[in-house]
Amino acid sequence: RLTGEKDGIIEIGAKNGILYLNGSLDWETKKVHRLQVEALNEKGERVKGPFSITINVEDINDNPPVFSQSKYYGEVRQNSRPGKVFMHVTATDRDDPTTPNAQLLYSILHHFPSPYEEILFQIDNKTGAISPSMAGNKYLDPEKQADFLLVVTVKDLAGMSGNAFTSNADVAITVLENLWKAPLPVFIMENSTEQHPLSITKVGSRNHSENREKPARFPFIIDQNGTIYATEPLDREEKDSYVFDAFAKDNYGEALARPLKISVTVGDMNDNPPVCKRALTIFEVQENEIVGNYIGTLHASDMDQKDTLNSRLQFRIVDQTPKIPIDNLFIVQKETGQFQLSSSSLNRRVASNYSVKVEVSDGVFATLCDVWINVIDINDQIPIFEKSDYGSLVIPEDTQVGKILLAIQANDADEPFTGSSRIIYQIEGDQNETFRIETDFRTNRGYFKINKILDYETSPVYSLTILAKNPEPLVSGIQYNSSSIAYVQIHITDVNEAPVFFKDTYIVDVFENVTVGTFVTSVKAYDPEGAQIRYMLISNSRNWLRVDSYTGDIYTTAPFDREIEKAYIVQVVATEQRMYLRNSTAQLILHLKDVNDNPPSLVKNSIFFCYPLSGGEKIEIEATDPDEHRLYPKFIFSLGGGETIQNDWIVHGFGVRRAHFSPKHPNLQKMQYSIPLKISDNGNPPLQGNVNLQVNICECTEDKTCFVPLDPDTSRPTVAMAVGILVGVLLVIGKWHSEMTQPDCNLC
């Protein structure tokens, strides 16, 4: 006789004791049936039992997955970062979740419309998270196409079997305008008296929980709503503009979008007074100067913004001392500061100099500048050279620039130390200004110097004429003549010069994966004397390059590696092929451009969980990649290995570098596991790294660290250790006994 949870399905043969089913078991309805069986005699009396029977119903895949909604609606912003989740679809399966029967796999079946070869959206096949693809980040634009419909499919049996059940759902997606846009350039007046922090602009937000950051050492802050503030009054004269970036980051510090450029221009206000260029400006004027003649210019400046009214300067004479023979002998141009003579009343015997005060105003501030005007004798004497021919000089072409070749002397009988007697020397016949003459105005001696590098091959001989003149004009009827002219001839001798490169530095960009033997660039040098040149490389520390010694063409000789050297620098030596073998050097800088040639790896390849597992544990793991990426690295994590690993562990990526790794169930044993992981990057083409994550399930201490018991065999001392300890103890005892029996010498 059978009693218990028969549910009208389970029966027993009354004569033979065979259990049988007269209907189908259903795991989803009842997972366990608990029964009792008794043995009865012919009178129906119990002779044995009851005995318990437990029937565990094993699940089969007899339920299709079901979406939580028949149609989903989502919104995504234009230019959203690839992989940035903006919605989820969710499905459930009534089958046993601990078996593949309820393991679901999501995918996108159709994409309407599909204007590009690449799909614009992607779905996480395990979580149902939908995000823009790389193409979506590039092409999604509400002005071109605002609405999309995705047909999303979910399969059970992890999509690994042709017998898997399938369900579909529609996902309607609306593309919204990108709010994460740089604002218009900001204009702030300097020296603001408003309360700070002062709101100046706002950046749009795609997620109000995003964190925004500002570069250090800038007087700006930004709040969680995207409002940017100036923290203090700004000074245009200190810095007239700022350009910085606004970032949007998630809670893990990962970028959610490209940074936005923020431009702030500081407006000028008239807060700086005019400044005289010199504490005292000195002019000279001859006593017979013609009315209206230019005397000199008073220079002043203003730190306010150039070419605005704030820096417009106007000049006005406010005082002349002495005021003899009359006042207002001079005028100053209001806008330029140029001085002119307003009267022909100058008389050096009456007043030999004048002190003039000039007010310089910018409309708000005014400054007084001092001008000293010397009245000098008329210029009626010309300079006369002590000798008219300074002969011929012979100098080698490698003579140093600045070297004095010759001292010349002319004299002037006008009043000393005035513009009438000061002498300025000019050179004629030197179109390239290879030479110059510097004058000592105390003595009017001129020093003839080399101004530029000499070149025998270009100009072997110079025939030069030297003129001596005054800065003040000569009086009417007086002219310069041959007495103010001298001659000199300079002969340049040839020197064996080193080769000359056309460029001192050669800079080349090249991809790191170019094949061995690729032409990189050509360096060229010439020898001024026309000798043949040979090339060689030095500082070629990694032997990545070679140079054709005859042509200067440079080729690769080994594979490059940007992760070792981003910029490879070598020296190219050009040597002339003649007796002296002179050489020169140029620099070659090779900038290596990255290719995706390094698979991702784990930052830390070992983790642990505390035993026993309680369920729900997860640990964050992080990947890294030494390659450069166009925007930022994005890693995709997945499990390797066989069915056992797939059933025991799970890895789920989040952000762009990280993933959560966790056990799938709490029934794992205490031991060390080696879990194969696959990590793919977003390079072009993408690379996959196959790594092993060492996972230790161990007993833990109170502070949640692995407890490692001491091996009892290693905790006992060896015989040698025991003997060493015993000898050490005996030595200490012997020393102590010796000290205790030694008499105290201080008391002897």
Side-chain angles (χ1 to χ4, degrees), residues 97-163:
T98 64
T99 69
N101 299 335
Q103 291 184 11
L104 305 183
L105 184 80
Y106 298 90
S107 62
I108 296 176
L109 181 62
H110 295 301
H111 182 301
F112 303 107
S114 184
Y116 304 100
E117 293 183 2
E118 304 166 89
I119 193 168
L120 302 181
F121 301 95
Q122 59 192 10
I123 190 168
D124 188 306
N125 59 12
K126 291 184 174 60
T127 66
I130 299 177
S131 61
S133 64
M134 293 291 289
N137 167 260
K138 182 177 180 181
Y139 296 121
L140 285 176
D141 186 345
E143 294 185 359
K144 295 180 179 178
Q145 181 67 43
D147 298 302
F148 291 88
L149 182 71
L150 305 182
V151 180
V152 176
T153 294
V154 62
K155 294 182 178 181
D156 59 16
L157 295 177
M160 303 298 291
S161 171
N163 298 324

Side-chain angles (χ1 to χ4, degrees), residues 232-261:
E232 60 189 47
L234 305 179
D235 185 356
R236 192 204 68 85
E237 287 71 43
E238 179 182 330
K239 190 171 180 63
D240 61 2
S241 65
Y242 297 84
V243 178
F244 54 93
D245 292 333
F247 293 86
K249 296 185 177 182
D250 61 21
N251 293 330
Y252 299 99
E254 301 291 352
L256 293 173
R258 297 181 181 90
L260 299 181
K261 290 288 183 188

Side-chain angles (χ1 to χ4, degrees), residues 506-638:
Y506 294 81
I507 301 175
V508 181
D509 293 341
V510 63
F511 283 102
E512 63 173 324
N513 64 340
V514 296
T515 57
V516 174
T518 298
F519 171 78
V520 175
T521 190
S522 182
V523 297
K524 296 296 180 184
Y526 67 93
D527 184 73
E529 288 76 39
Q532 295 292 320
I533 291 176
R534 296 294 181 267
Y535 301 92
M536 64 178 291
L537 297 181
I538 59 174
S539 304
N540 187 18
S541 57
R542 300 192 182 279
N543 294 318
W544 284 351
L545 300 172
R546 71 172 179 86
V547 63
D548 186 308
S549 61
Y550 290 91
T551 66
D553 294 341
I554 296 177
Y555 301 88
T556 64
T557 58
F560 295 144
D561 189 344
R562 191 199 67 87
E563 285 68 43
I564 295 177
E565 296 267 9
K566 293 183 179 180
Y568 189 55
I569 302 175
V570 298
Q571 309 296 323
V572 187
V573 179
T575 304
E576 63 180 12
Q577 300 301 294
R578 57 193 301 170
M579 180 176 65
Y580 297 104
L581 294 177
R582 297 198 63 178
N583 60 62
S584 58
T585 304
Q587 187 177 65
L588 170 62
I589 302 176
L590 206 61
H591 291 295
L592 299 181
K593 300 168 68 176
D594 188 46
V595 296
N596 194 27
D597 58 349
N598 290 278
S601 60
L602 289 172
V603 174
K604 182 180 178 182
N605 62 2
S606 63
I607 60 174
F608 72 89
F609 294 97
C610 291
Y611 181 84
L613 299 173
S614 58
E617 296 94 337
K618 61 181 179 181
I619 291 180
E620 183 179 304
I621 58 176
E622 183 179 358
T624 186
D625 187 334
D627 290 317
E628 288 181 347
H629 295 268
R630 185 170 60 91
L631 294 176
Y632 40 77
K634 166 72 174 176
F635 300 121
I636 299 173
F637 297 79
S638 61

Side-chain angles (χ1 to χ4, degrees), residues 301-319:
S301 60
D302 192 305
M303 289 182 63
D304 290 319
Q305 188 171 355
K306 186 179 179 182
D307 299 326
T308 68
L309 292 177
N310 294 337
S311 60
R312 177 191 182 187
L313 301 184
Q314 294 184 320
F315 301 81
R316 181 174 70 93
I317 295 176
V318 296
D319 184 58

